Amino acid sequence: MEEVTRRQAALDVRHKVMGDEWIDSVPPTEGLAAFTDQAIEHLWGGAWVDDTLELRIRSLCTMTSLMALGHLAELRPHVVGALRNKFFTPAELRAIVLHISPYIGYPTGRHAMVLLDEVIE
């Protein structure tokens, strides 16, 4: 994929998954601008734009990884995006948390479930 096309694809999928509200909430500091450019190039343009996996599967992988690592602040916009894009229903998201809790630890799973319930409400 050509550089300009990959960057646009990365921006498009980032907007679809994270949503304009979240993207607009990131302060435009010099440090965050450089970080965002790198994330767009490597994360969104690398991990999210190839056609091998559907966005729904990428969303699932991302959310379960964030849950396992305890990165709940970063998990929240991904849960919002998964619901907004109809990748998963609330019942499916709850089942995912219940399924991975024995693997990631019940305290981490509980925190993920609390966040999930807050977002769904």
Side-chain angles (χ1 to χ4, degrees), residues 63-70 72 96-97 99-112:
M63 289 187 297
T64 56
S65 296
L66 292 170
M67 286 181 222
L69 294 168
L72 299 183
I96 290 165
V97 173
H99 176 77
I100 69 167
S101 288
Y103 298 97
I104 67 174
Y106 282 101
T108 304
R110 180 189 170 281
H111 289 295

Side-chain angles (χ1 to χ4, degrees), residues 62-84:
T62 301
M63 289 187 297
T64 56
S65 296
L66 292 170
M67 286 181 222
L69 294 168
H71 296 311
L72 299 183
E74 190 69 16
L75 174 63
R76 181 179 297 275
H78 281 278
V79 169
V80 170
L83 291 167
R84 184 184 58 253

Side-chain angles (χ1 to χ4, degrees), residues 7-92:
R7 181 164 178 86
Q8 188 57 55
L11 290 169
D12 292 346
V13 75
R14 179 174 177 251
H15 277 272
K16 179 177 179 119
V17 172
M18 302 303 283
D20 294 334
E21 182 178 330
W22 183 86
I23 290 171
D24 293 342
S25 74
V26 177
T29 65
E30 186 176 337
L32 276 178
F35 182 86
T36 298
D37 281 344
Q38 182 173 323
I40 289 166
E41 180 179 340
H42 296 282
L43 174 75
W44 297 104
W48 281 85
V49 300
D50 93 34
D51 294 334
T52 309
L53 297 173
E54 298 172 19
L55 288 180
R56 180 177 194 268
I57 300 302
R58 292 178 194 282
S59 175
L60 174 64
C61 293
T62 301
M63 289 187 297
T64 56
S65 296
L66 292 170
M67 286 181 222
L69 294 168
H71 296 311
L72 299 183
E74 190 69 16
L75 174 63
R76 181 179 297 275
H78 281 278
V79 169
V80 170
L83 291 167
R84 184 184 58 253
N85 288 296
K86 297 182 177 25
F87 293 155
F88 299 97
T89 66
E92 288 172 322

